[in-house]
Every structure is written in structure tokens, then in C-alpha cells.
Amino acid sequence: MTKSATSHLLPVFARVDLAFERGEGAWLTTTNGERYLDFTSGVAVNALGHAHPYLVAALQQQATKLWHMSNLFKSPDGERLASRLCEQSFADFVFFANSGAEAMECAIKLTRKHHAAKGHPERYRIITFEGAFHGRTLATLAATGSPKYLEGFGPPVEGFDQVALGDLDAVKKTIGENTAGILIEPLQGEGGVRAAPQPFFKALRQLCDDNGLLLVFDEVQTGMGRTGELFAHRRLGVTPDVMSLAKALGGGFPIGACLATADAAAGMTPGSHGSTFGGNPLAVAAANAVLDVMLKPGFFDHVQTMSLLLKQKLAAVIDRYPGVVSEVRGEGLLIGVKAVVPSGDLVAALRAQRLLTVGAGDNVVRFLPPLIVTEAEIEQGVTSLEQACAALAADPKQRAAQ
Ligand code: PLP
């Protein structure tokens, strides 16, 4: 890197040449005034869209009172947020962090410490699944297990055993005297909107119960309404012992959380974990406001109605352009369209139609509209997909490749 480099941002992202300066609901406006329909929601973060008036007011109000307060002191609003999350879930305790990876770090540490506190420090290994994504810190990368992300960063953090998604026999064979828990996403987001069948989750719960293991759900992407319920595991009918949240929790303000039962959290005593910023008053104000909106009657009905509409309309496009797109997957508004052409080409063609989407593994394009998306916006998004498919189908380069 030289002093004459055009950007001083560490070049770890392949950034698209578009800069946005404002947003409203499901819409984003670039610095030169072009409008885009946002079906990325900041990768499942802006669940209530951009500049939601209730969230803006909550943050503005908090900004005039107190920005930051150390966790050395009491946090009344943090207490309130934690108790609301516990009321809505299986959990007794919540730790607030600043990101998904940090929420997952807490989940991993808590799982290991649970066994150490019960006199079994040798039980520290966690079973994870191929295609998973748990974050970019060293431990969460090891849990993710993808060679492409691990390469060049030295020996991966020890203690993760990865098996194929949905392979119950492999899970059973992997459980040993060092196993502490099983970690899984209810629906893999980055991995390509891939889900294991519901009975697999039930079987994992049983295996955990039979072997004294903790079941950990990574709901960083699926949680906070994305799949049509506050938490995705409600749809599965399987309850974990530990769960991580982040992304939509603050509606765009960085906050993560690790939730656990009292038994799972048994080892977490003063000094065993911490964070300077975790549960900061601004973050907590944003998350309490997000919950206010999401817990209003009918919020998740809307997500489910929009989900059905989007899936039906996407399926019709797939019927018309089988050479470009082949399958719709997912739950709620965490929808994946499997591409036949390279998924990056489809994302670019959609962008040319002023629709923003996100790529994922398995050649999938994610459609992640804000949960407040309207029927008209779904219509518009699907029209953009049709136009993008028509353009790709007419492209001789794409036809030659098929
Ligand atoms: N876990 C899951 C399921 C995720 O999708 C992500 C991010 O995409 C993470 C963890 C990591 O979150 P963050 O990027 O906030 O560290």
C-alpha cells in the first residue's frame, strides 16, 4: 500500500462502486440521487428499514441523555432489554456484545465454562456443521471451519469438530468424552439459505439431553423476526440452551447478545467475561425500540404474508427463466434464489435494475427485504428480477455457458 492509494480502507471488501447517503424504509438514495430498492437490509440488519421514525426518535432521545456508561455500573435500560428478551425466550441471562461474532464468542466460552464449572474442563469441544458461518474472530472462524476464511491466519483455534449438515450418524460418531455442545444455525444464511430438516433439530436436542451437551443456536441472522417469528427456533419447535443474536437486534445500531439458561450459564461469574461497549446505552435504547415495534400485534403476521407473496412470485419467475434461476429457499424474509448463472452475475444484473440483493454460498442470491416491506415493493422487486433474468437469458455469454 502506498500513500497514493485511492482508498485507505483496508481492502478486505470487494466494494461495489455505489455510495449511499440516505435511506427511507426499503429505499436507499445514492450520493448522486439515484434510488435503489434495498433487499439487503444491510445483510439482515435494518429489519425496520432505514430511518424508521420510532427508532430515530429513541436514539435521538438517548443521545441527549447518556451515550456510554461502563459495565462497572448498573444499567437499568440494559436490565429492561435483557428481561424482555428472556420473557420472549427460554433464557434466564443475557450478555450484551457489539456484533454477531462477539455474541458467538460468548456462546462458545459459556459452553466450555459450563462444563468446567461442573468439574469437566476436558469437555470443551463443539460440534459444528459444514456450510456454517459464525463470524470472523479466530474462534468463530474455527467454528465456521471454512478453509477459504482460515487460510493464512495460523493454526485454527482448537476444539471444533465439523460434520455434514443433516448427518445425524456423523454427529453421533463425533460425540466423545471431550464434547461440550452442538452449535448450529436454524437456517444457514451465508452458507446459501440452507436448512437441515426439522427432525434433525429434534434429534440434536435429544442427543444433547442424553449426553449432557449444550445445544447452541446461532440466530445472529435468523433471529429478531427475519424468519417470520421473533426467533427462528420457534418455528422449529426445538429450544436451545444458548442462543446468539445480533444483526437486527439494534435495527442498524451495533449490538449483539448471548442468551442462556441459568444452568447453561452456571460458570459465568464476575470477571469470567466482559466488554467495554457491550450493552452501551445507545445500543440498548435502539434494541428496546426495535422490540417495541416487533412486539406490536400483527408484526410477524405481516412478515409471513410478505414471505408467502415473495416466494410465490419468485417461483413464477423461476418457471419462466429456468436457464437463469432454479429454486427458491428459505423462511420468512430470509429468502434464497439459487442461480443457474453465476450468482454474482445475477446480483449485478439486479443492481442494474436498481434492486440490491446479497450473494451467499451454494450459488444463491439472498433476498432480504426489510420486514416492513410493502406488497408494492415486493411486486417491484420481483419485476426487477424478471427484467434481470430476461437480460441474462438474452446474454450470449450466459447462453454459451449453459
Ligand atoms: N453468525 C451468523 C449466522 C452470521 O450470519 C454472522 C454474520 O453474517 C455472524 C455470526 C457474524 O456476525 P458479525 O459480522 O456481526 O460479527
Side-chain angles (χ1 to χ4, degrees), residues 13-345:
F13 296 106
R15 293 176 192 269
V16 171
D17 190 17
L18 274 180
F20 295 98
E21 71 176 6
R22 59 179 57 248
E24 197 187 342
W27 295 88
L28 280 166
T29 307
T30 62
T31 44
N32 44 13
E34 291 167 351
R35 267 162 59 86
Y36 283 76
L37 184 56
D38 182 15
F39 279 17
T40 69
S41 299
V43 194
V45 168
N46 304 97
L48 304 182
H50 299 281
H52 189 289
Y54 188 78
L55 297 199
V56 171
L59 211 48
Q60 277 174 340
Q61 209 176 44
Q62 185 59 45
T64 62
K65 293 200 287 186
L66 190 65
W67 283 29
H68 179 73
M69 197 60 227
S70 160
N71 284 309
L72 293 171
F73 301 95
K74 286 198 161 210
S75 166
D77 293 335
E79 292 280 358
R80 178 162 170 262
L81 178 60
S83 78
R84 295 173 89 190
L85 289 171
C86 288
E87 217 168 85
Q88 292 295 326
S89 72
F90 61 91
D92 300 303
F93 290 115
V94 183
F95 175 82
F96 290 119
N98 309 289
S99 65
E102 279 182 64
M104 276 311 309
E105 283 279 341
C106 179
I108 292 163
K109 287 177 71 177
L110 182 147
T111 299
R112 290 181 172 193
K113 198 72 184 246
H114 165 87
H115 293 284
K118 299 205 169 199
H120 291 285
E122 77 286 359
R123 298 184 75 170
Y124 67 94
R125 304 193 70 83
I126 296 177
I127 296 174
T128 63
F129 295 91
E130 284 168 19
F133 187 79
H134 299 298
R136 299 283 197 154
T137 61
L138 286 170
T140 57
L141 263 190
T144 295
S146 163
K148 82 173 175 199
Y149 297 140
L150 282 162
E151 201 187 297
F153 294 112
V157 170
E158 228 262 312
F160 298 95
D161 298 307
Q162 195 157 77
V163 301
L165 184 66
D167 188 342
L168 197 61
D169 280 341
V171 178
K172 284 182 188 163
K173 281 190 198 127
T174 307
I175 294 174
E177 59 187 19
N178 299 124
T179 308
I182 298 176
L183 163 61
I184 188 165
E185 293 154 85
L187 175 61
Q188 288 185 346
E190 304 300 309
V193 194
R194 289 166 72 229
Q198 191 269 356
F200 181 69
F201 289 90
K202 272 207 141 75
L204 291 185
R205 178 69 272 174
Q206 195 60 51
L207 278 177
C208 285
D209 292 344
D210 294 347
N211 293 280
L213 310 177
L214 295 184
L215 182 61
V216 184
F217 281 173
D218 179 343
E219 291 231 29
V220 165
Q221 187 155 161
T222 56
M224 302 308 293
R226 183 47 60 185
T227 66
E229 295 277 356
L230 189 59
F231 309 120
H233 70 263
R234 284 189 180 168
R235 293 176 79 82
L236 287 173
V238 174
T239 306
D241 305 294
V242 183
M243 168 172 72
S244 57
L245 296 173
K247 290 196 181 272
L249 180 57
F253 201 96
I255 178 170
C258 174
L259 284 71
T261 63
D263 178 57
M268 303 308 276
T269 49
S272 60
H273 197 49
S275 165
T276 297
F277 290 117
N280 164 300
L282 290 170
V284 159
N288 269 318
V290 167
L291 267 184
D292 289 345
V293 176
M294 286 193 180
L295 296 180
K296 287 229 166 82
F299 184 87
F300 299 113
D301 296 337
H302 174 78
V303 179
Q304 286 165 22
T305 307
M306 291 303 109
S307 168
L308 204 63
L309 188 71
L310 179 58
K311 281 183 174 174
Q312 282 168 349
K313 289 186 177 292
L314 290 175
V317 179
I318 281 163
D319 285 347
R320 303 235 327 258
Y321 294 97
V324 183
V325 281
S326 65
E327 188 192 328
V328 185
R329 316 169 163 175
E331 293 280 342
L333 291 173
L334 174 39
I335 300 294
V337 171
K338 188 158 165 70
V340 176
V341 300
S343 58
D345 290 2

